[in-house]
């Protein structure tokens, strides 16, 4: 729940920033000189890119949460079996052991979105966020029946 609240607050701050920057871009364009119009258009590009990025990330999170809910209903969510340090951080060797099992599971069933979901969680636990995201994207694509590249 804490992550959800953080995401919502961050998204709200970004939207406020986009509106603020967009209004400055409009003011520059309204000034009417060639230089200010050029800068105004350039400034308006930033919020457009930001809104697109925020939208894509929000869609990704919603789809991943839907998969998690479905997997939970099936009783297939990965169990947290990781050892932790006294500070509460995940033990690296423990994460590597779980990752090896999840990777083997995914290699045995490469077209099962469930195994890709669990692999994404293992990548995340091993602190490999880019690969976790790719694995989750693959799980989403497989669940939606879209073809994926190997």
């Amino acid at each position: 729940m804490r992550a959800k609240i953080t995401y919502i607050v961050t998204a709200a701050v970004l939207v406020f920033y986009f509106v603020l920057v967009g209004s400055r871009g409009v003011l520059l364009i309204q000034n009417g000189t060639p230089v200010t119009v050029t800068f105004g258009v350039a400034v308006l590009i930033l919020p457009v890119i930001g809104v697109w990025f925020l939208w894509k990330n929000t869609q990704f999170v919603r789809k991943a949460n839907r998969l998690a809910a479905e997997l939970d209903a099936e009783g297939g969510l990965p169990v947290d079996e990781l050892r932790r340090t006294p500070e509460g951080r995940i033990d690296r060797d423990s994460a590597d052991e779980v990752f090896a099992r999840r990777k083997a599971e995914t290699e045995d069933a490469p077209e099962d979105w469930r195994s890709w979901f669990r692999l994404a969680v293992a990548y995340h636990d091993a602190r490999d966020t880019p690969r976790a995201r790719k694995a989750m994207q693959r799980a989403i694509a497989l669940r939606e029946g879209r073809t994926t590249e190997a």
Side-chain angles (χ1 to χ4, degrees), residues 20-35:
L20 186 66
V21 170
S23 68
R24 298 299 181 226
V26 169
L27 287 174
L28 284 168
I29 291 170
Q30 287 175 344
N31 202 356
T33 67
V35 172

Side-chain angles (χ1 to χ4, degrees), residues 119-144:
L119 180 64
V121 171
Y123 270 127
H124 177 74
D125 291 342
R127 297 187 196 121
D128 191 345
T129 305
R131 287 190 177 127
R133 188 172 182 87
K134 287 281 188 194
M136 188 60 73
Q137 288 170 339
R138 179 92 182 237
I140 291 167
L142 287 169
R143 179 63 185 99
E144 293 176 347

Side-chain angles (χ1 to χ4, degrees), residues 79-85 89-99 101 121-122 124-126:
V79 177
D80 186 1
E81 54 190 309
L82 300 168
R83 292 184 305 276
R84 309 227 183 245
T85 65
R89 297 188 66 128
I90 294 172
D91 177 65
R92 182 71 175 192
D93 293 334
S94 176
D96 289 344
E97 291 169 16
V98 172
F99 172 77
R101 288 199 312 268
V121 171
H124 177 74
D125 291 342

Side-chain angles (χ1 to χ4, degrees), residues 70-78 118:
E70 185 174 339
L71 205 53
D72 186 30
E74 295 175 357
L77 277 179
R118 288 187 282 268

